[in-house]
Amino acid sequence: MNGGIVVWLLLGLSVVALSVSLLKAWQLYRTQAKPVDAIEQAFGFLQQGKCSQALLLVNGQRNYRALLVSSAVQLIDKSGMAIDDIKDEVYRQAQLAIAQLNSYLRVLEVIATLAPLMGLFGTVIGMIEAFKAMEAAGAQVNPAVLSGGIWQALLTTAVGLAVAIPVSMLNSYFERKAEVEAQAIQNDLQRVFTLYASANTSTAKGKVSAMPSDTE
């Protein structure tokens, strides 16, 4: 293939980037809340003191927000742990969820940075070879041969940019999705603890009573 091993390497990077992008798209799809407004409905039940109905909506979902809301509510309602310990545990789980959302994005970032550099490297090597051939030909230089060597050298830069541009756009998209989801997770957990605080203002400091329930 014109462009040599550099083009093959770039094509290999494009396959890796495509695989990672499909994996991230599948991860985002399968972790959507179902129904879409399930979490908001759950908070509506929590505000009414109906914990069991809220848990029915968020339990068993793959959505990270639903999982963390469920974990926080159950720890507050049943664990008997101090509120500070519950916060530490829930935020630890949130950090793991956010790490999952950001998984493999580093691969896309590296490919987006490396691809144009590899293309430029291939072009430099190709130009060196073209000028070496021109020097060896001396006065018998054929312009057609020289121009053919130059376009083949420039091909690697074009391939590198063709790989880097869409990968960079996909990486930015997935990073933004992960950032929005992380902000939503933090907001959800703060809402849970705010509801707890407003419902338990008379509870002894540092101790946790059950969340207000629909049985009361």
Side-chain angles (χ1 to χ4, degrees):
M1 177 184 290
N2 292 331
I5 190 172
V6 174
V7 171
W8 284 109
L9 289 173
L10 288 169
L11 291 177
L13 290 179
S14 69
V15 172
V16 173
L18 178 61
S19 301
V20 172
S21 298
L22 291 174
L23 177 63
K24 293 302 296 182
W26 173 245
Q27 181 190 49
L28 292 174
Y29 172 76
R30 70 192 295 268
T31 56
Q32 290 179 342
K34 298 173 184 177
V36 176
D37 61 346
I39 297 169
E40 288 303 318
Q41 290 181 21
F43 274 111
F45 283 126
L46 287 176
Q47 289 172 343
Q48 299 171 36
K50 300 177 179 179
C51 288
S52 57
Q53 287 93 328
L55 289 174
L56 284 175
L57 283 170
V58 293
N59 280 347
Q61 294 213 34
R62 292 191 177 98
N63 180 266
Y64 295 118
R65 292 174 60 191
L67 288 171
L68 289 165
V69 168
S70 173
S71 176
V73 171
Q74 291 187 72
L75 285 172
I76 290 174
D77 194 41
K78 301 176 181 178
S79 70
M81 296 167 59
I83 189 62
D84 288 340
D85 292 336
I86 292 176
K87 286 183 177 180
D88 289 342
E89 173 58 20
V90 173
Y91 284 124
R92 181 191 68 80
Q93 295 176 14
Q95 288 177 346
L96 292 176
I98 293 171
Q100 285 293 317
L101 290 170
N102 287 292
S103 61
Y104 300 110
L105 292 184
R106 183 64 176 170
V107 176
L108 294 180
E109 181 181 349
V110 169
I111 291 175
T113 302
L114 192 60
L117 296 177
M118 289 181 63
L120 181 60
F121 176 72
T123 294
V124 171
I125 297 299
M127 294 294 288
I128 290 173
E129 293 298 325
F131 283 115
K132 282 176 63 178
M134 184 175 66
E135 180 186 22
Q140 305 299 320
V141 176
N142 185 340
V145 174
L146 180 60
S147 61
I150 291 175
W151 82 257
Q152 290 182 22
L154 292 173
L155 178 65
T156 59
T157 294
V159 174
L161 292 174
V163 172
I165 291 172
V167 171
S168 179
M169 294 175 63
L170 285 170
N171 183 55
S172 296
Y173 170 76
F174 289 130
E175 281 186 340
R176 179 56 182 164
K177 293 289 286 185
E179 180 183 347
V180 170
E181 192 73 3
Q183 291 173 348
I185 286 172
Q186 294 175 351
N187 180 65
D188 289 342
L189 296 181
Q190 187 60 50
R191 288 176 70 183
V192 170
F193 290 120
T194 299
L195 285 173
Y196 160 78
S198 63
N200 294 273
T201 53
S202 61
T203 304
K205 185 177 180 181
K207 297 294 182 181
V208 178
S209 66
M211 290 280 285
S213 69
D214 46 330
T215 59
E216 293 180 357

